[in-house]
PDB file of all heavy atoms in Angstrom:
ATOM      1  N   THR A   1       4.032   7.355  12.511  1.00  0.00           N
ATOM      2  CA  THR A   1       3.390   6.071  12.232  1.00  0.00           C
ATOM      3  C   THR A   1       2.956   5.950  10.808  1.00  0.00           C
ATOM      4  O   THR A   1       2.809   4.895  10.330  1.00  0.00           O
ATOM      5  CB  THR A   1       2.137   5.988  13.222  1.00  0.00           C
ATOM      6  OG1 THR A   1       1.285   7.064  12.998  1.00  0.00           O
ATOM      7  CG2 THR A   1       2.539   5.899  14.667  1.00  0.00           C
ATOM      8  N   GLY A   2       2.642   7.108  10.170  1.00  0.00           N
ATOM      9  CA  GLY A   2       2.285   7.120   8.778  1.00  0.00           C
ATOM     10  C   GLY A   2       3.521   6.635   7.932  1.00  0.00           C
ATOM     11  O   GLY A   2       3.370   5.917   6.975  1.00  0.00           O
ATOM     12  N   LEU A   3       4.723   7.100   8.257  1.00  0.00           N
ATOM     13  CA  LEU A   3       5.918   6.648   7.600  1.00  0.00           C
ATOM     14  C   LEU A   3       6.140   5.145   7.770  1.00  0.00           C
ATOM     15  O   LEU A   3       6.464   4.437   6.862  1.00  0.00           O
ATOM     16  CB  LEU A   3       7.119   7.419   8.135  1.00  0.00           C
ATOM     17  CG  LEU A   3       8.494   7.032   7.508  1.00  0.00           C
ATOM     18  CD1 LEU A   3       8.462   7.313   5.984  1.00  0.00           C
ATOM     19  CD2 LEU A   3       9.603   7.864   8.188  1.00  0.00           C
ATOM     20  N   LEU A   4       5.906   4.701   9.027  1.00  0.00           N
ATOM     21  CA  LEU A   4       6.062   3.262   9.335  1.00  0.00           C
ATOM     22  C   LEU A   4       5.031   2.397   8.541  1.00  0.00           C
ATOM     23  O   LEU A   4       5.323   1.364   8.043  1.00  0.00           O
ATOM     24  CB  LEU A   4       5.864   2.951  10.885  1.00  0.00           C
ATOM     25  CG  LEU A   4       5.854   1.621  11.340  1.00  0.00           C
ATOM     26  CD1 LEU A   4       7.281   1.016  11.057  1.00  0.00           C
ATOM     27  CD2 LEU A   4       5.577   1.513  12.821  1.00  0.00           C
ATOM     28  N   ARG A   5       3.886   3.002   8.387  1.00  0.00           N
ATOM     29  CA  ARG A   5       2.763   2.245   7.598  1.00  0.00           C
ATOM     30  C   ARG A   5       3.193   2.143   6.198  1.00  0.00           C
ATOM     31  O   ARG A   5       3.063   1.091   5.596  1.00  0.00           O
ATOM     32  CB  ARG A   5       1.458   3.163   7.642  1.00  0.00           C
ATOM     33  CG  ARG A   5       0.383   2.735   6.804  1.00  0.00           C
ATOM     34  CD  ARG A   5      -0.663   3.794   6.600  1.00  0.00           C
ATOM     35  NE  ARG A   5      -0.105   4.827   5.685  1.00  0.00           N
ATOM     36  CZ  ARG A   5      -0.618   6.016   5.534  1.00  0.00           C
ATOM     37  NH1 ARG A   5      -1.767   6.382   6.185  1.00  0.00           N
ATOM     38  NH2 ARG A   5      -0.185   6.990   4.691  1.00  0.00           N
ATOM     39  N   GLU A   6       3.728   3.173   5.571  1.00  0.00           N
ATOM     40  CA  GLU A   6       4.237   3.091   4.224  1.00  0.00           C
ATOM     41  C   GLU A   6       5.261   2.119   4.007  1.00  0.00           C
ATOM     42  O   GLU A   6       5.389   1.367   2.983  1.00  0.00           O
ATOM     43  CB  GLU A   6       4.592   4.458   3.668  1.00  0.00           C
ATOM     44  CG  GLU A   6       3.481   5.490   3.572  1.00  0.00           C
ATOM     45  CD  GLU A   6       2.338   5.004   2.684  1.00  0.00           C
ATOM     46  OE1 GLU A   6       2.595   4.532   1.562  1.00  0.00           O
ATOM     47  OE2 GLU A   6       1.203   5.242   3.142  1.00  0.00           O
ATOM     48  N   SER A   7       6.201   2.027   4.963  1.00  0.00           N
ATOM     49  CA  SER A   7       7.320   1.197   4.942  1.00  0.00           C
ATOM     50  C   SER A   7       6.838  -0.346   5.020  1.00  0.00           C
ATOM     51  O   SER A   7       7.343  -1.177   4.274  1.00  0.00           O
ATOM     52  CB  SER A   7       8.357   1.413   6.065  1.00  0.00           C
ATOM     53  OG  SER A   7       8.841   2.710   5.934  1.00  0.00           O
ATOM     54  N   ILE A   8       5.870  -0.540   5.893  1.00  0.00           N
ATOM     55  CA  ILE A   8       5.314  -1.909   6.074  1.00  0.00           C
ATOM     56  C   ILE A   8       4.573  -2.315   4.808  1.00  0.00           C
ATOM     57  O   ILE A   8       4.633  -3.481   4.370  1.00  0.00           O
ATOM     58  CB  ILE A   8       4.473  -1.999   7.278  1.00  0.00           C
ATOM     59  CG1 ILE A   8       5.311  -1.889   8.565  1.00  0.00           C
ATOM     60  CG2 ILE A   8       3.718  -3.274   7.398  1.00  0.00           C
ATOM     61  CD1 ILE A   8       4.593  -1.855   9.911  1.00  0.00           C
ATOM     62  N   LEU A   9       3.792  -1.428   4.257  1.00  0.00           N
ATOM     63  CA  LEU A   9       3.033  -1.772   3.050  1.00  0.00           C
ATOM     64  C   LEU A   9       3.977  -2.142   1.877  1.00  0.00           C
ATOM     65  O   LEU A   9       3.767  -3.086   1.152  1.00  0.00           O
ATOM     66  CB  LEU A   9       2.176  -0.566   2.638  1.00  0.00           C
ATOM     67  CG  LEU A   9       0.968  -0.248   3.463  1.00  0.00           C
ATOM     68  CD1 LEU A   9       0.092   0.843   2.877  1.00  0.00           C
ATOM     69  CD2 LEU A   9       0.062  -1.525   3.600  1.00  0.00           C
ATOM     70  N   ALA A  10       5.096  -1.405   1.750  1.00  0.00           N
ATOM     71  CA  ALA A  10       6.061  -1.678   0.727  1.00  0.00           C
ATOM     72  C   ALA A  10       6.795  -2.974   0.997  1.00  0.00           C
ATOM     73  O   ALA A  10       7.085  -3.747   0.080  1.00  0.00           O
ATOM     74  CB  ALA A  10       7.115  -0.539   0.690  1.00  0.00           C
ATOM     75  N   TRP A  11       6.975  -3.345   2.224  1.00  0.00           N
ATOM     76  CA  TRP A  11       7.658  -4.533   2.637  1.00  0.00           C
ATOM     77  C   TRP A  11       6.765  -5.757   2.438  1.00  0.00           C
ATOM     78  O   TRP A  11       7.201  -6.824   1.878  1.00  0.00           O
ATOM     79  CB  TRP A  11       8.111  -4.522   4.087  1.00  0.00           C
ATOM     80  CG  TRP A  11       8.728  -5.784   4.581  1.00  0.00           C
ATOM     81  CD1 TRP A  11       9.748  -6.547   4.066  1.00  0.00           C
ATOM     82  CD2 TRP A  11       8.281  -6.556   5.689  1.00  0.00           C
ATOM     83  NE1 TRP A  11      10.069  -7.644   4.757  1.00  0.00           N
ATOM     84  CE2 TRP A  11       9.119  -7.670   5.772  1.00  0.00           C
ATOM     85  CE3 TRP A  11       7.203  -6.409   6.650  1.00  0.00           C
ATOM     86  CZ2 TRP A  11       8.891  -8.640   6.810  1.00  0.00           C
ATOM     87  CZ3 TRP A  11       7.040  -7.305   7.641  1.00  0.00           C
ATOM     88  CH2 TRP A  11       7.941  -8.488   7.676  1.00  0.00           C
ATOM     89  N   VAL A  12       5.497  -5.663   2.792  1.00  0.00           N
ATOM     90  CA  VAL A  12       4.554  -6.794   2.720  1.00  0.00           C
ATOM     91  C   VAL A  12       4.075  -7.027   1.252  1.00  0.00           C
ATOM     92  O   VAL A  12       4.043  -8.160   0.806  1.00  0.00           O
ATOM     93  CB  VAL A  12       3.316  -6.611   3.601  1.00  0.00           C
ATOM     94  CG1 VAL A  12       2.299  -7.649   3.402  1.00  0.00           C
ATOM     95  CG2 VAL A  12       3.842  -6.567   5.066  1.00  0.00           C
ATOM     96  N   PHE A  13       3.771  -5.883   0.556  1.00  0.00           N
ATOM     97  CA  PHE A  13       3.074  -6.099  -0.746  1.00  0.00           C
ATOM     98  C   PHE A  13       4.028  -5.778  -1.871  1.00  0.00           C
ATOM     99  O   PHE A  13       3.852  -6.249  -3.030  1.00  0.00           O
ATOM    100  CB  PHE A  13       1.902  -5.162  -0.823  1.00  0.00           C
ATOM    101  CG  PHE A  13       0.835  -5.597   0.159  1.00  0.00           C
ATOM    102  CD1 PHE A  13       0.675  -4.899   1.332  1.00  0.00           C
ATOM    103  CD2 PHE A  13      -0.101  -6.595  -0.113  1.00  0.00           C
ATOM    104  CE1 PHE A  13      -0.293  -5.195   2.218  1.00  0.00           C
ATOM    105  CE2 PHE A  13      -1.030  -6.943   0.797  1.00  0.00           C
ATOM    106  CZ  PHE A  13      -1.192  -6.209   1.981  1.00  0.00           C
ATOM    107  N   GLY A  14       5.062  -4.897  -1.738  1.00  0.00           N
ATOM    108  CA  GLY A  14       5.989  -4.532  -2.718  1.00  0.00           C
ATOM    109  C   GLY A  14       5.236  -3.899  -3.873  1.00  0.00           C
ATOM    110  O   GLY A  14       4.206  -3.164  -3.606  1.00  0.00           O
ATOM    111  N   SER A  15       5.715  -4.064  -5.031  1.00  0.00           N
ATOM    112  CA  SER A  15       5.082  -3.480  -6.240  1.00  0.00           C
ATOM    113  C   SER A  15       4.164  -4.548  -6.875  1.00  0.00           C
ATOM    114  O   SER A  15       4.615  -5.223  -7.842  1.00  0.00           O
ATOM    115  CB  SER A  15       6.082  -2.948  -7.281  1.00  0.00           C
ATOM    116  OG  SER A  15       5.466  -2.467  -8.405  1.00  0.00           O
ATOM    117  N   SER A  16       2.922  -4.643  -6.419  1.00  0.00           N
ATOM    118  CA  SER A  16       2.059  -5.744  -6.779  1.00  0.00           C
ATOM    119  C   SER A  16       0.816  -5.150  -7.418  1.00  0.00           C
ATOM    120  O   SER A  16       0.478  -4.042  -7.189  1.00  0.00           O
ATOM    121  CB  SER A  16       1.719  -6.623  -5.619  1.00  0.00           C
ATOM    122  OG  SER A  16       0.951  -5.887  -4.666  1.00  0.00           O
ATOM    123  N   LYS A  17       0.173  -6.036  -8.268  1.00  0.00           N
ATOM    124  CA  LYS A  17      -1.038  -5.580  -8.821  1.00  0.00           C
ATOM    125  C   LYS A  17      -2.203  -5.377  -7.833  1.00  0.00           C
ATOM    126  O   LYS A  17      -3.082  -4.483  -7.945  1.00  0.00           O
ATOM    127  CB  LYS A  17      -1.541  -6.619  -9.890  1.00  0.00           C
ATOM    128  CG  LYS A  17      -0.574  -6.816 -11.072  1.00  0.00           C
ATOM    129  CD  LYS A  17      -1.077  -7.841 -12.031  1.00  0.00           C
ATOM    130  CE  LYS A  17      -0.082  -8.030 -13.163  1.00  0.00           C
ATOM    131  NZ  LYS A  17      -0.491  -9.079 -14.159  1.00  0.00           N
ATOM    132  N   ASP A  18      -2.108  -6.215  -6.788  1.00  0.00           N
ATOM    133  CA  ASP A  18      -3.167  -6.082  -5.723  1.00  0.00           C
ATOM    134  C   ASP A  18      -3.023  -4.754  -5.017  1.00  0.00           C
ATOM    135  O   ASP A  18      -4.019  -4.064  -4.692  1.00  0.00           O
ATOM    136  CB  ASP A  18      -2.996  -7.242  -4.752  1.00  0.00           C
ATOM    137  CG  ASP A  18      -3.576  -8.561  -5.263  1.00  0.00           C
ATOM    138  OD1 ASP A  18      -4.079  -8.567  -6.383  1.00  0.00           O
ATOM    139  OD2 ASP A  18      -3.574  -9.515  -4.539  1.00  0.00           O
ATOM    140  N   LEU A  19      -1.749  -4.359  -4.747  1.00  0.00           N
ATOM    141  CA  LEU A  19      -1.555  -3.084  -4.072  1.00  0.00           C
ATOM    142  C   LEU A  19      -2.015  -1.945  -4.925  1.00  0.00           C
ATOM    143  O   LEU A  19      -2.551  -0.991  -4.522  1.00  0.00           O
ATOM    144  CB  LEU A  19      -0.157  -2.952  -3.623  1.00  0.00           C
ATOM    145  CG  LEU A  19       0.179  -1.669  -2.808  1.00  0.00           C
ATOM    146  CD1 LEU A  19      -0.682  -1.628  -1.526  1.00  0.00           C
ATOM    147  CD2 LEU A  19       1.702  -1.534  -2.514  1.00  0.00           C
ATOM    148  N   ASP A  20      -1.782  -2.007  -6.223  1.00  0.00           N
ATOM    149  CA  ASP A  20      -2.189  -1.091  -7.249  1.00  0.00           C
ATOM    150  C   ASP A  20      -3.712  -0.849  -7.155  1.00  0.00           C
ATOM    151  O   ASP A  20      -4.226   0.241  -7.115  1.00  0.00           O
ATOM    152  CB  ASP A  20      -1.788  -1.365  -8.649  1.00  0.00           C
ATOM    153  CG  ASP A  20      -0.277  -1.211  -8.862  1.00  0.00           C
ATOM    154  OD1 ASP A  20       0.425  -0.542  -7.944  1.00  0.00           O
ATOM    155  OD2 ASP A  20       0.296  -1.800  -9.822  1.00  0.00           O
ATOM    156  N   ALA A  21      -4.373  -2.006  -7.146  1.00  0.00           N
ATOM    157  CA  ALA A  21      -5.876  -1.988  -7.083  1.00  0.00           C
ATOM    158  C   ALA A  21      -6.385  -1.291  -5.754  1.00  0.00           C
ATOM    159  O   ALA A  21      -7.326  -0.571  -5.762  1.00  0.00           O
ATOM    160  CB  ALA A  21      -6.424  -3.366  -7.208  1.00  0.00           C
ATOM    161  N   PHE A  22      -5.653  -1.614  -4.638  1.00  0.00           N
ATOM    162  CA  PHE A  22      -6.052  -1.128  -3.373  1.00  0.00           C
ATOM    163  C   PHE A  22      -5.799   0.464  -3.359  1.00  0.00           C
ATOM    164  O   PHE A  22      -6.732   1.163  -2.824  1.00  0.00           O
ATOM    165  CB  PHE A  22      -5.260  -1.781  -2.242  1.00  0.00           C
ATOM    166  CG  PHE A  22      -5.380  -1.035  -0.905  1.00  0.00           C
ATOM    167  CD1 PHE A  22      -6.474  -1.249  -0.092  1.00  0.00           C
ATOM    168  CD2 PHE A  22      -4.412  -0.094  -0.550  1.00  0.00           C
ATOM    169  CE1 PHE A  22      -6.581  -0.635   1.101  1.00  0.00           C
ATOM    170  CE2 PHE A  22      -4.576   0.524   0.671  1.00  0.00           C
ATOM    171  CZ  PHE A  22      -5.647   0.275   1.525  1.00  0.00           C
ATOM    172  N   LEU A  23      -4.716   0.925  -3.840  1.00  0.00           N
ATOM    173  CA  LEU A  23      -4.452   2.368  -3.830  1.00  0.00           C
ATOM    174  C   LEU A  23      -5.523   3.104  -4.656  1.00  0.00           C
ATOM    175  O   LEU A  23      -5.869   4.181  -4.214  1.00  0.00           O
ATOM    176  CB  LEU A  23      -3.083   2.611  -4.387  1.00  0.00           C
ATOM    177  CG  LEU A  23      -1.927   2.025  -3.505  1.00  0.00           C
ATOM    178  CD1 LEU A  23      -0.524   2.240  -4.171  1.00  0.00           C
ATOM    179  CD2 LEU A  23      -1.957   2.652  -2.079  1.00  0.00           C
ATOM    180  N   ILE A  24      -5.879   2.527  -5.776  1.00  0.00           N
ATOM    181  CA  ILE A  24      -6.921   3.220  -6.594  1.00  0.00           C
ATOM    182  C   ILE A  24      -8.216   3.195  -5.874  1.00  0.00           C
ATOM    183  O   ILE A  24      -8.904   4.191  -5.782  1.00  0.00           O
ATOM    184  CB  ILE A  24      -6.942   2.588  -7.956  1.00  0.00           C
ATOM    185  CG1 ILE A  24      -5.758   2.880  -8.754  1.00  0.00           C
ATOM    186  CG2 ILE A  24      -8.219   3.151  -8.697  1.00  0.00           C
ATOM    187  CD1 ILE A  24      -5.740   2.108 -10.066  1.00  0.00           C
ATOM    188  N   ALA A  25      -8.638   2.013  -5.311  1.00  0.00           N
ATOM    189  CA  ALA A  25      -9.839   1.912  -4.605  1.00  0.00           C
ATOM    190  C   ALA A  25      -9.909   2.810  -3.374  1.00  0.00           C
ATOM    191  O   ALA A  25     -10.917   3.372  -3.045  1.00  0.00           O
ATOM    192  CB  ALA A  25     -10.037   0.453  -4.189  1.00  0.00           C
ATOM    193  N   ASN A  26      -8.804   2.958  -2.681  1.00  0.00           N
ATOM    194  CA  ASN A  26      -8.682   3.812  -1.512  1.00  0.00           C
ATOM    195  C   ASN A  26      -8.755   5.233  -1.843  1.00  0.00           C
ATOM    196  O   ASN A  26      -9.197   6.060  -1.016  1.00  0.00           O
ATOM    197  CB  ASN A  26      -7.321   3.397  -0.708  1.00  0.00           C
ATOM    198  CG  ASN A  26      -7.358   3.995   0.724  1.00  0.00           C
ATOM    199  OD1 ASN A  26      -8.407   3.985   1.343  1.00  0.00           O
ATOM    200  ND2 ASN A  26      -6.289   4.443   1.133  1.00  0.00           N
ATOM    201  N   ARG A  27      -8.261   5.630  -2.973  1.00  0.00           N
ATOM    202  CA  ARG A  27      -8.193   7.042  -3.406  1.00  0.00           C
ATOM    203  C   ARG A  27      -9.579   7.533  -3.652  1.00  0.00           C
ATOM    204  O   ARG A  27      -9.922   8.774  -3.479  1.00  0.00           O
ATOM    205  CB  ARG A  27      -7.357   7.100  -4.671  1.00  0.00           C
ATOM    206  CG  ARG A  27      -7.138   8.578  -5.058  1.00  0.00           C
ATOM    207  CD  ARG A  27      -6.588   9.357  -3.991  1.00  0.00           C
ATOM    208  NE  ARG A  27      -6.527  10.856  -4.271  1.00  0.00           N
ATOM    209  CZ  ARG A  27      -6.421  11.787  -3.321  1.00  0.00           C
ATOM    210  NH1 ARG A  27      -6.429  11.425  -2.122  1.00  0.00           N
ATOM    211  NH2 ARG A  27      -6.436  13.058  -3.718  1.00  0.00           N
ATOM    212  N   ILE A  28     -10.527   6.751  -4.184  1.00  0.00           N
ATOM    213  CA  ILE A  28     -11.824   7.228  -4.549  1.00  0.00           C
ATOM    214  C   ILE A  28     -12.620   7.774  -3.319  1.00  0.00           C
ATOM    215  O   ILE A  28     -13.105   8.877  -3.379  1.00  0.00           O
ATOM    216  CB  ILE A  28     -12.617   6.148  -5.295  1.00  0.00           C
ATOM    217  CG1 ILE A  28     -11.930   5.813  -6.659  1.00  0.00           C
ATOM    218  CG2 ILE A  28     -14.031   6.463  -5.487  1.00  0.00           C
ATOM    219  CD1 ILE A  28     -12.481   4.615  -7.472  1.00  0.00           C
TER     220      ILE A  28
END
């Protein structure tokens, strides 16, 4: 399900500035 999660995130958001912001925010 983690692999499915990553695939869906890539499909929905792609390489976007919003996703970059989320990944940094989620990492903290």
Side-chain angles (χ1 to χ4, degrees):
T1 56
L3 179 61
L4 179 62
R5 174 197 72 193
E6 296 301 318
S7 300
I8 290 177
L9 289 183
W11 175 58
V12 174
F13 297 100
S15 180
S16 65
K17 295 179 180 179
D18 283 2
L19 184 60
D20 289 342
F22 170 82
L23 293 176
I24 293 173
N26 195 36
R27 185 57 189 157
I28 293 173

